[in-house]
Amino acid sequence: MDMPVPNAALLARKAHIVGRLQEGLAPGAVISEPAETRVYECDALTAYKCPPLAVVLPETTEQVAAVLRICHEENVPVVPRGAGTSLAGGALPTEDCVILGVARMTDVLETDYANRTIRVQAGRTNLSVTGAVEEEDFFYAPDPSSQLACAIAGNIAMNSGGAHCLKYGVTTNNLLGVTMVLMDGTVVELGGAHLDSDGYDLLGLVCGSEGQLGVVTEATLRILRKPEGARPVLMGFDDSETAGRCVSDIIKAGVLPVAIEFMDRLCIRATEDFAGAGYPDCEALLIVEVEGSAAEIDEQLGKILEIARRHDPVELRESGSAEESARIWLGRKSAFGAMGQINDYMCLDGTIPVSELPMVLRRIGELAEQFGLQVGNVFHAGDGNMHPLILFDANKSGDLELCEQLGAEILKLCVEAGGCLTGEHGVGVEKRDLMGHQFAPEDLEIQMAVKDVFDPKWLLNPAKVFPLASSASRRERSL
């Protein structure tokens, strides 16, 4: 994976740049010692690492604006960073960049229960947003697997989803407004505490833009009343394709569960060894959860179980208590940690039409056999957001490259099946060189022209999303 050659002139001016940054921030908010910048040398895509020129940790929108103005004047690239949980290398630094982290920006600024909104600083973690309102029986719906650690800033950058996005939507469906700082230090307000705003949908443009257009410092989010009740059912099947057909039939029947999660045998066995959830010994399982009143839950689960029985499940397990519900979810919530106990792995993020699940699962199995690597499948089946986990040995020469080749073939398969390269992890550097497989050169040119408007010098996260050859002339504007 290639990255741009660092700007030697910027490296030579490091002391001057760091000095200017220190003038506008509190002591300890600028990190420049090489040993300390290594903490920020990568995000959750740990295969690639590079310590940055410096790291800044502002606490307010005004401080973010001051940092960006200095970097704009000095032509220093800036890589925004939330909590560093990106699985696509979205916060991977370059040697000549400044990491702008929002981890100290965690305040709740306003809560409006009557209008069901909350305004927070963008460094606040996903789960702590619900924590701020749960005493009033409200919650924030998007729930990525990393919700304990991931920041709202990163959720907005990647348009994150989660297990319950089938019913409640992803970040863009729950984001009402942002305060954002442009690369030149200009502060803009987009949207607000209301359903919609006049003019172009710039908020929709910003959500999912991967730190390419500006740095989000505050966010107004939709909060919802907690449902009256919820109940999951676990279904075991003899093969993955059958489980995929069951998912397709549930969606086709017009039933709307709050979540449909999929795990295959490799993941099932790993989670059993790791968490002991008591899952059946089968090739694939589904966890389907519905919400509502007791009568609504019974009606929905009745339809779902009827559909499941048509596919000859090896086990159907309906929760009868809060404890049983927690056991059903235990393995799924432990899956990524459990797989890490087996081997190194790379987590992909292609999205496909639900109707194509059986075919895509079959082809992933065939590709894994072809490349001689194991692939575990655990994903949000209800909206077709695949998360294949490719196991490899990071200490074995050539294994990472083989893993990446297999990953590229799986992502191409998702596009060919009518889907796209990413559902919630983003493009970052991981999928950057595959963008040409989904988009024509004219499409990429239009996307880059949008970035030109917000960041004419291409200083914000410049080595991400777009193939380096496509963006080369634009990135050279700051040299």
Side-chain angles (χ1 to χ4, degrees):
M1 190 273 298
D2 295 326
M3 292 295 282
V5 176
N7 185 333
L10 288 179
L11 299 180
R13 290 174 23 233
K14 175 179 177 177
H16 166 73
I17 294 166
V18 169
R20 287 201 64 188
L21 292 170
Q22 289 173 331
E23 290 174 3
L25 294 172
V30 180
I31 300 169
S32 60
E33 290 299 321
E36 296 178 344
T37 59
R38 286 194 177 279
V39 176
Y40 299 88
E41 66 184 0
C42 68
D43 51 26
L45 184 66
T46 58
Y48 303 104
K49 300 176 182 180
C50 177
L53 181 79
V55 179
V56 293
L57 301 172
E59 298 180 4
T60 66
T61 297
E62 292 71 26
Q63 290 178 4
V64 171
V67 167
L68 290 179
R69 275 194 294 271
I70 291 169
C71 291
H72 188 261
E73 291 167 4
E74 299 286 349
N75 288 327
V76 179
V78 173
V79 175
R81 179 185 173 102
T85 59
S86 169
L87 289 162
L92 176 69
T94 52
E95 189 180 350
D96 57 359
C97 86
V98 167
I99 288 279
L100 195 161
V102 296
R104 295 183 179 179
M105 302 178 65
T106 60
D107 290 346
V108 173
L109 303 172
E110 182 181 4
T111 306
D112 184 347
Y113 293 110
N115 291 301
R116 299 187 303 171
T117 66
I118 184 172
R119 189 163 65 93
V120 300
Q121 286 187 303
R124 191 170 183 90
T125 61
N126 175 286
L127 190 59
S128 71
V129 175
T130 290
V133 298
E134 60 186 352
E135 286 189 2
E136 298 295 328
D137 288 330
F138 280 81
F139 74 107
Y140 178 59
D143 58 341
S145 296
S146 59
Q147 67 177 153
L148 182 65
C150 64
I152 291 299
N155 289 179
I156 294 170
M158 303 303 184
N159 192 19
S160 301
H164 291 83
C165 65
L166 177 60
K167 180 175 181 179
Y168 294 113
V170 293
T171 299
T172 192
N173 305 112
N174 295 274
L175 177 67
L176 298 172
V178 299
T179 299
M180 185 173 77
V181 186
L182 304 182
M183 186 62 220
D184 64 0
T186 302
V187 179
V188 297
E189 299 283 346
L190 303 177
H194 41 80
L195 183 61
D196 204 353
S197 57
D198 295 335
Y200 293 114
D201 183 15
L202 296 179
L203 183 64
L205 179 65
V206 167
C207 188
S209 61
E210 304 196 27
Q212 295 274 308
L213 307 182
V215 177
V216 172
T217 59
E218 299 174 11
T220 301
L221 309 171
R222 177 181 286 110
I223 53 176
L224 301 171
R225 276 283 185 186
K226 287 184 178 179
E228 186 175 336
R231 192 188 313 158
V233 59
L234 184 148
M235 309 171 181
F237 296 92
D238 278 331
D239 63 80
S240 293
E241 288 184 66
T242 301
R245 284 193 291 270
C246 184
V247 172
S248 182
D249 287 349
I250 290 171
I251 299 300
K252 186 166 57 179
V255 184
L256 185 61
V258 68
I260 305 179
E261 295 294 297
F262 177 102
M263 295 174 64
D264 68 7
R265 173 176 283 278
L266 184 59
C267 292
I268 294 168
R269 301 290 8 119
T271 57
E272 278 303 287
D273 293 340
F274 182 72
Y279 285 168
D281 184 17
C282 59
E283 293 300 321
L285 66 78
L286 301 175
I287 298 173
V288 185
E289 183 169 273
V290 299
E291 291 180 342
S293 66
E296 289 173 322
I297 290 173
D298 287 341
E299 180 183 2
Q300 291 180 76
L301 281 185
K303 294 178 180 178
I304 290 168
L305 291 170
E306 180 184 347
I307 293 169
R309 290 188 182 100
R310 297 178 201 154
H311 295 276
D312 298 320
V314 298
E315 182 166 343
L316 286 177
R317 186 187 307 170
E318 184 177 349
S319 171
S321 67
E323 291 74 19
E324 290 181 13
S325 295
R327 296 293 294 179
I328 286 175
W329 277 107
L330 176 61
R332 173 60 183 91
K333 291 181 180 293
S334 305
F336 289 92
M339 292 297 288
Q341 298 287 306
I342 299 176
N343 214 337
D344 304 300
Y345 69 79
M346 182 172 289
C347 178
L348 301 181
D349 173 48
T351 299
I352 62 170
V354 174
S355 60
E356 298 298 323
L357 273 173
M359 181 275 290
V360 171
L361 287 168
R362 183 184 72 253
R363 286 289 297 131
I364 288 176
E366 293 169 353
L367 287 168
E369 185 174 349
Q370 176 184 331
F371 279 81
L373 295 174
Q374 287 185 298
V375 177
N377 288 289
V378 51
F379 58 90
H380 313 311
D383 64 346
N385 191 181
M386 308 286 290
H387 289 317
L389 308 180
I390 306 176
L391 303 187
F392 71 102
D393 185 349
N395 295 315
K396 181 179 177 182
S397 178
D399 237 31
L400 172 61
E401 291 75 16
L402 186 65
C403 173
E404 291 178 323
Q405 292 170 23
L406 173 55
E409 292 305 313
I410 291 174
L411 291 171
K412 290 176 183 177
L413 169 65
C414 291
V415 173
E416 290 160 5
C420 59
L421 294 172
T422 179
E424 57 178 341
H425 292 177
V427 175
V429 295
E430 179 197 39
K431 309 178 187 79
R432 181 191 63 194
D433 297 326
L434 292 173
M435 286 286 278
H437 191 78
Q438 181 170 345
F439 298 104
E442 296 81 5
D443 300 322
L444 292 174
E445 177 62 29
I446 290 171
Q447 293 178 44
M448 290 187 290
V450 172
K451 180 170 170 59
D452 288 341
V453 174
F454 286 82
D455 180 22
K457 292 169 120 181
W458 273 62
L459 291 171
L460 276 170
N461 228 5
K464 315 293 170 54
V465 180
F466 303 104
L468 294 183
S470 300
S471 64
S473 62
R474 286 172 159 91
R475 287 184 287 105
E476 289 170 359
R477 293 172 183 172
S478 62
L479 299 179

